[in-house]
């Protein structure tokens, strides 16, 4: 793996489980679901979500700065600030031209779009904010991050639906290995819990309708699962080449040792029933990491709590991985963070590898008898030399990271 892996030197999180890595990780390890009734969705067919608790953008970013940013950018800047502090990096001392930003996002800033559409309908086009486009365009996620931290290197947003965050980390790794950058801020952010977007998901039948018990609604791999619960937030990782990290005395928390990506080429929303597409990505990630199917000790699964996804992914894991790894889906706690899901779960996977802890899959009370894999229902201490973090998205897009111990 020499020369093909990159070092993770910094982590940052803003999730429904908490603001900051320590808070989010503690909640995920507790297995306590964050799903609750959402007043914003009061008139929607499904009225539950997983919101970031107590997020005060004015306090965290300054009122003037926050006013010009959609929540999907606000989340990312707060998480990136934590990740850079964790990595011991400072915009005043680095060569900004060698610092890249690669972030994943599914839908830009729908909060801003829906608010300004209401203005258009009620007051006319002349009252629409001139900041509409700068606030809602997906590319502004990376653009505003570059402005905030003086990162003048390659700057892009990737969009592979719910695989976006994982895809971003894979692309960031490639930039380092190609010597295009020395440092890359990567991950993903999403703030898609709006009435219109959630109505669309509800009409598709993708969301859990367990409104009588919201905390039990997200239940990956459980026989009684009936859909996902939407979440919001951001996950940011700082990546460097191992030699560069060592040269500056940085702590290496784990290594991104492999990456695989694929397309199902099957259906615009449903996964391939056999998991053929995600299998290809898993095998590519293992090959990239110079590892075999028996080397994986832990999988942070895509595990959305939808009937089709969980069964297809589990069937694939059973077929491909020979070492009987311990599987979890942290979406039982956080809900599904959509374009940010893979980034947040990559952070959780790094923490599992670093701390030898596999968090539980919340609400796994009646395991699906068709699912024949080992799923963690409680927090488990387990040495993890190699783990996978899986992501899938609409359009049949798949991405997998192989995360190895430092």
């Amino acid at each position: 793996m020499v020369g093909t892996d990159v070092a993770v030197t910094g982590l940052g999180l803003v999730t429904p489980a908490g603001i900051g890595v320590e808070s989010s990780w503690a909640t995920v390890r507790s297995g306590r679901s964050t799903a609750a009734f959402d007043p914003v969705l009061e008139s929607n067919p499904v009225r539950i979500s997983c919101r970031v608790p107590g997020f005060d953008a004015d306090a965290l970013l300054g009122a003037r700065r926050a006013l010009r940013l959609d929540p999907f950018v606000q989340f990312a800047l707060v998480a990136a600030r934590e990740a850079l502090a964790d990595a011991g990096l400072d915009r005043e001392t680095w060569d900004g031209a060698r610092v890249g930003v690669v972030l994943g996002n599914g839908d830009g800033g729908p909060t801003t779009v829906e608010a300004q559409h209401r203005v258009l309908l009620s007051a006319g086009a002349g009252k629409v904010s001139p900041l509409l486009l700068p606030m809602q365009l997906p590319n502004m996620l990376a653009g505003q991050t570059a402005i905030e931290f003086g990162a003048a290197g390659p700057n892009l947003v990737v969009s592979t639906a719910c695989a976006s965050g994982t895809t971003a980390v894979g692309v960031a790794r490639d930039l380092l290995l190609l010597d295009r950058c020395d440092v890359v801020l990567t991950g993903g952010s999403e703030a898609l819990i709006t009435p219109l977007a959630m109505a669309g998901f509800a009409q598709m039948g993708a969301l859990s309708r367990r409104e009588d018990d919201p905390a039990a609604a997200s239940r990956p791999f459980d026989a009684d699962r009936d859909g996902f619960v939407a979440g919001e937030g951001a996950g940011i990782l700082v990546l460097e080449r191992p030699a560069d990290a060592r040269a500056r005395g940085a702590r290496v928390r784990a290594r991104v040792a492999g990456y695989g990506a694929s397309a199902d080429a099957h259906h615009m929303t449903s996964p391939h029933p056999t998991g053929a597409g995600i299998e290809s990505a898993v095998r590519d990630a293992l090959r990239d990491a110079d590892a075999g199917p028996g080397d994986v000790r832990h999988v942070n699964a895509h595990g959305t709590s939808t009937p089709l996804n969980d069964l297809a992914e589990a069937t694939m894991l059973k077929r491909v991985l020979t070492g009987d790894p311990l599987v979890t889906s942290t979406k039982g706690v956080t809900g599904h963070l959509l374009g940010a899901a893979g980034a947040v779960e990559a952070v959780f996977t790094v923490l599992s590898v670093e701390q030898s802890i596999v968090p539980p899959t919340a609400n796994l009370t009646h395991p699906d008898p068709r699912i024949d894999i080992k799923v963690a229902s409680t927090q488990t201490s387990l040495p993890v030399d190699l783990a996978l973090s899986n992501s899938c998205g609409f359009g049949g897009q798949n991405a997998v990271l192989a995360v190895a111990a430092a």
Side-chain angles (χ1 to χ4, degrees):
M1 289 186 284
V2 175
T4 64
D5 58 336
V6 298
V8 180
T9 57
L11 301 173
L13 288 174
V14 172
T15 80
I19 299 173
V21 170
E22 183 177 353
S23 177
S24 291
W25 184 230
T27 302
V28 164
R29 287 189 288 111
S30 77
R32 178 177 57 82
S33 171
T34 61
F37 283 106
D38 187 335
V40 171
L41 305 179
E42 184 176 3
S43 299
N44 272 49
V46 176
R47 300 170 296 166
I48 58 177
S49 72
C50 294
R51 291 281 191 178
V52 175
F55 188 84
D56 185 340
D58 290 356
L60 292 167
L61 296 169
R64 182 177 176 80
R65 183 82 168 112
L67 182 66
R68 296 168 176 263
L69 303 173
D70 187 90
F72 84 111
V73 176
Q74 295 172 357
F75 293 155
L77 296 187
V78 172
R81 182 184 297 164
E82 180 185 26
L84 287 170
D86 185 44
L89 290 168
D90 184 347
R91 64 172 294 171
E92 301 301 323
T93 59
W94 68 22
D95 178 3
R98 297 289 296 173
V99 179
V101 179
V102 184
L103 298 174
N105 174 256
D107 194 43
T111 299
T112 296
V113 172
E114 292 184 33
Q116 291 304 308
H117 188 243
R118 290 192 292 271
V119 171
L120 174 68
L121 295 179
S122 63
K127 296 297 184 180
V128 170
S129 171
L131 293 175
L132 168 62
L133 292 176
M135 288 179 66
Q136 68 92 13
L137 291 171
N139 76 290
M140 296 305 292
L141 180 61
Q144 290 284 14
T145 301
I147 292 167
E148 185 80 7
F149 302 107
N155 185 273
L156 63 151
V157 168
V158 300
S159 185
T160 53
C162 298
S164 296
T166 302
T167 304
V169 176
V171 172
R173 173 177 173 268
D174 289 347
L175 288 177
L176 288 167
L177 297 180
L178 290 169
D179 196 29
R180 308 297 189 197
C181 305
D182 296 328
V183 176
V184 185
L185 302 179
T186 189
S189 186
E190 196 81 273
L192 193 53
I193 305 175
T194 65
L196 180 60
M198 292 302 106
F201 279 125
Q203 293 301 96
M204 291 173 58
L207 300 179
S208 172
R209 297 190 177 244
R210 195 183 292 267
E211 292 194 340
D212 60 325
D213 187 6
S218 183
R219 44 195 320 108
F221 303 117
D222 193 85
D224 298 324
R225 67 190 184 278
D226 70 326
F228 71 81
V229 178
E232 63 181 6
I236 302 292
L237 303 88
V238 177
L239 303 185
E240 305 176 61
R241 285 181 293 273
D244 294 340
R246 288 194 298 270
R248 69 178 187 87
R251 173 183 59 167
V252 176
R253 305 194 68 154
R255 296 174 293 121
V256 179
Y259 169 65
S262 68
D264 285 354
H266 168 68
H267 189 273
M268 63 181 177
T269 57
S270 295
H272 193 285
T274 69
I278 188 66
E279 175 179 343
S280 177
V282 165
R283 292 190 185 279
D284 283 350
L286 291 175
R287 187 179 306 112
D288 201 24
D290 194 25
D295 296 329
V296 178
R297 301 297 306 279
H298 165 53
V299 179
N300 191 308
H302 187 55
T304 56
S305 182
T306 57
L308 293 178
N309 174 86
D310 290 10
L311 181 59
E313 185 177 15
T315 299
M316 179 279 298
L317 291 174
K318 180 65 175 179
R319 181 173 67 245
V320 175
L321 301 182
T322 60
D324 197 23
L326 187 57
V327 178
T328 195
S329 171
T330 47
K331 290 182 177 73
V333 171
T334 66
H336 188 353
L337 273 65
L338 306 164
V344 168
E345 289 154 20
V347 172
F348 292 149
T349 305
V350 167
L351 293 168
S352 287
V353 169
E354 181 185 50
Q355 299 180 16
S356 299
I357 293 174
V358 174
T361 301
N363 297 318
L364 185 64
T365 55
H366 301 99
D368 188 332
R370 300 170 298 170
I371 290 177
D372 186 22
I373 57 174
K374 187 164 60 176
V375 182
S377 58
T378 59
Q379 177 179 299
T380 304
S381 296
L382 179 74
V384 180
D385 297 322
L386 184 69
L388 298 180
S389 183
N390 295 349
S391 294
C392 309
F394 282 175
Q397 294 176 301
N398 308 294
V400 175
L401 298 173
V403 179

